[in-house]
């Protein structure tokens, strides 16, 4: 597996990994420093896995900085002790840090040795990764209940990490399109949207400098959404659609790609189209659960009824009656034959 960010383990960390799996250590905390994976903290066991969990894990969690935590189980497999891998990415950390840790996650697993990782957890709040959160994680794995947002993001990361091509400082050419880096101002705008300080974000492409820029953030109603869409240039929009569905209050994040037809240059149309999928992947990696993706060429389409029908499409339960197939053409009229007497 390739290193998605170019970040690898330091020599000291590799050396430590070589001797750290014999049962001496209960907890290992790893951080990214100086563009390398480095050992930040380690703890020896003080009791059982259950007794040590909160005592050792919680002090390692920083409010604004992601990290990786490896916690040793008391069980073994053919390769030795089994470990729990925790990816901590707090809500209040910088978007750049979240992206960097998400993209380097697969590399750390490879450096440590995936065969000894029995289970994985991803969390943005303490409640996601404390011992009670771990118990809920276990219950969710074996129950048909819906996944939490954090578990859905972990599932998405597992499915995509092999083909991840995220880089924080440069664009990456992939089969899915062109990934322009997101400006710091745009990252801050997305962070405000994610923390619900605003319900609308508009992003644009700087075609010359090849960067995703922030155009505006705002709190608007669905009735004012169409007025935000430019009629002379393309844009990307994120809107938190607040509504009721079947009597329940619901919030759905809708991604809108607006392209006003041939009023835009060929270059603009091509770049906006090529950058759309990588940008959606980037947003998903930041924890934004996009409910619906729309493409429009006329802002007047963005009415409340249209948005509702797209987010909650009507299901046609009527079954089409069986239609007897027609016979081959050109046979002519049926002929009556008379029996011979």
């Amino acid at each position: 597996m390739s290193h998605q960010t170019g970040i690898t383990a330091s020599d000291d960390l590799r050396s430590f990994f070589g001797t750290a799996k014999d049962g001496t250590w209960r907890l290992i905390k790893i951080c990214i420093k100086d563009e390398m994976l480095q050992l930040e903290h380690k703890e020896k066991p003080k009791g059982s896995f259950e007794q040590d969990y909160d005592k050792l894990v919680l002090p390692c969690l920083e409010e604004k900085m992601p990290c990786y935590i490896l916690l040793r189980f008391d069980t073994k497999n053919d390769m030795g002790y089994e470990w729990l891998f925790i990816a901590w990415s707090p809500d209040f950390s910088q978007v750049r840090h979240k992206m960097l840790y998400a993209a380097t996650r697969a590399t750390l697993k490879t450096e440590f040795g995936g065969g000894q990782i029995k289970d994985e957890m991803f969390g943005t709040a303490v409640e996601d990764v404390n011992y009670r959160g771990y118990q809920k994680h276990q219950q969710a794995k074996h129950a048909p209940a819906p996944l939490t947002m954090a578990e859905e993001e972990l599932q998405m990361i597992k499915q995509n990490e092999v083909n991840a091509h995220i880089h924080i400082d440069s664009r990456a050419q992939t089969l899915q399109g062109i990934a322009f880096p997101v400006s710091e101002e745009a990252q801050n705008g997305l962070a405000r949207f994610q923390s619900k300080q605003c319900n609308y974000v508009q992003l644009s492409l700087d075609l010359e400098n090849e960067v995703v820029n922030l155009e505006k953030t705002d709190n608007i109603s669905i009735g004012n959404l169409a007025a935000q869409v430019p009629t002379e240039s393309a844009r990307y929009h994120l809107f938190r659609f607040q509504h009721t569905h079947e009597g329940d209050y619901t919030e759905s994040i809708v991604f809108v790609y607006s392209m006003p037809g041939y009023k835009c240059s060929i270059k603009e149309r091509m770049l906006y189209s090529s950058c759309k999928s990588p940008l959606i992947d980037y947003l998903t990696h930041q924890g934004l659960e996009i409910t619906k993706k729309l493409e429009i060429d006329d802002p007047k389409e963005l009415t409340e009824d249209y948005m509702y029908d797209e987010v909650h499409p009507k299901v046609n339960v009527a079954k089409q009656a069986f239609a007897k197939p027609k016979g081959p053409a050109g046979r002519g009229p049926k002929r009556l034959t008379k029996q011979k007497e």
Side-chain angles (χ1 to χ4, degrees), residues 35 44 51 63 77 154 169 191 222 234 279 286 324 334:
E35 298 186 353
K44 292 185 176 181
Q51 293 169 337
E63 184 180 5
N77 60 21
L154 174 59
D169 293 317
I222 179 63
L279 177 60
Q286 307 317 308
K324 182 179 179 181
K334 291 184 178 180

Side-chain angles (χ1 to χ4, degrees), residues 83-103:
W83 294 74
L84 170 66
F85 179 72
I86 302 173
W88 169 245
S89 184
D91 286 328
F92 297 105
S93 59
Q94 295 182 11
V95 175
R96 182 180 293 267
H97 289 154
K98 290 181 181 180
M99 182 173 64
L100 181 61
Y101 274 80

Side-chain angles (χ1 to χ4, degrees), residues 49-306:
F49 172 82
E50 294 77 12
Q51 293 169 337
D52 285 348
Y53 194 107
D54 281 344
K55 292 179 182 178
L56 301 184
V57 171
L58 298 186
C60 291
L61 305 179
E62 297 183 43
E63 184 180 5
K64 297 184 179 180
M65 181 56 66
C67 69
Y68 308 113
I69 294 174
L70 290 158
L71 190 68
R72 180 176 61 77
F73 289 103
D74 295 322
T75 56
K76 292 183 176 182
N77 60 21
D78 294 340
M79 302 182 69
Y81 279 101
E82 296 175 311
W83 294 74
L84 170 66
F85 179 72
I86 302 173
W88 169 245
S89 184
D91 286 328
F92 297 105
S93 59
Q94 295 182 11
V95 175
R96 182 180 293 267
H97 289 154
K98 290 181 181 180
M99 182 173 64
L100 181 61
Y101 274 80
T104 312
R105 184 175 164 276
T107 300
L108 176 59
K109 289 169 56 181
T110 301
E111 296 278 8
F112 181 77
Q116 290 180 257
I117 296 177
K118 179 182 179 181
D119 202 357
E120 300 178 44
M121 290 177 64
F122 174 87
T124 60
V126 173
E127 293 75 17
D128 298 332
V129 296
N130 60 12
Y131 186 64
R132 180 172 293 182
Y134 170 72
Q135 290 177 313
K136 291 180 180 179
H137 167 73
Q138 290 296 307
Q139 293 170 1
K141 283 175 56 179
H142 300 96
L147 297 175
T148 65
M149 288 181 63
E151 288 164 347
E152 287 180 352
E153 183 173 354
L154 174 59
Q155 187 178 65
M156 179 275 299
I157 292 173
K158 286 181 178 179
Q159 293 170 352
N160 292 286
E161 65 183 3
V162 173
N163 296 317
H165 292 280
I166 302 174
H167 198 289
I168 61 172
D169 293 317
S170 63
R171 64 174 182 151
Q173 181 75 43
T174 71
L175 293 177
Q176 289 74 32
I178 303 172
F180 283 0
V182 180
S183 70
E184 186 172 353
E185 185 182 10
Q187 293 175 29
N188 293 334
L190 292 169
R192 290 196 296 274
F193 180 84
Q194 190 170 24
S195 62
K196 298 188 178 181
Q197 298 177 43
C198 63
N199 70 348
Y200 173 74
V201 174
Q202 184 180 130
L203 302 171
S204 64
L205 295 183
D206 184 333
L207 304 185
E208 298 303 322
N209 297 316
E210 300 184 344
V211 175
V212 179
N213 283 331
L214 176 70
E215 286 294 323
K216 65 170 73 174
T217 62
D218 205 345
N219 282 295
I220 61 173
S221 65
I222 179 63
N224 292 327
L225 179 58
Q228 311 300 318
V229 180
T231 57
E232 302 293 332
S233 57
R235 289 290 187 270
Y236 303 120
H237 315 261
L238 277 173
F239 179 66
R240 183 174 285 103
F241 180 38
Q242 300 166 310
H243 60 286
T244 58
H245 176 61
E246 297 179 349
D248 295 327
Y249 174 78
T250 304
E251 293 185 358
S252 303
I253 296 177
V254 180
F255 178 91
V256 181
Y257 164 42
S258 64
M259 171 58 70
Y262 291 93
K263 295 180 181 179
C264 301
S265 66
I266 295 176
K267 179 180 180 180
E268 184 173 351
R269 294 200 303 270
M270 290 181 62
L271 285 178
Y272 268 87
S273 177
S274 299
C275 291
K276 182 188 67 171
S277 292
L279 177 60
I280 291 174
D281 291 342
Y282 167 82
L283 296 172
T284 304
H285 274 285
Q286 307 317 308
L288 291 174
E289 185 179 7
I290 298 175
T291 305
K292 188 68 180 179
K293 309 175 191 70
L294 303 176
E295 294 187 18
I296 64 165
D297 54 16
D298 186 352
K300 295 178 182 178
E301 297 178 48
L302 295 177
T303 64
E304 184 171 4
D305 290 341
Y306 171 77

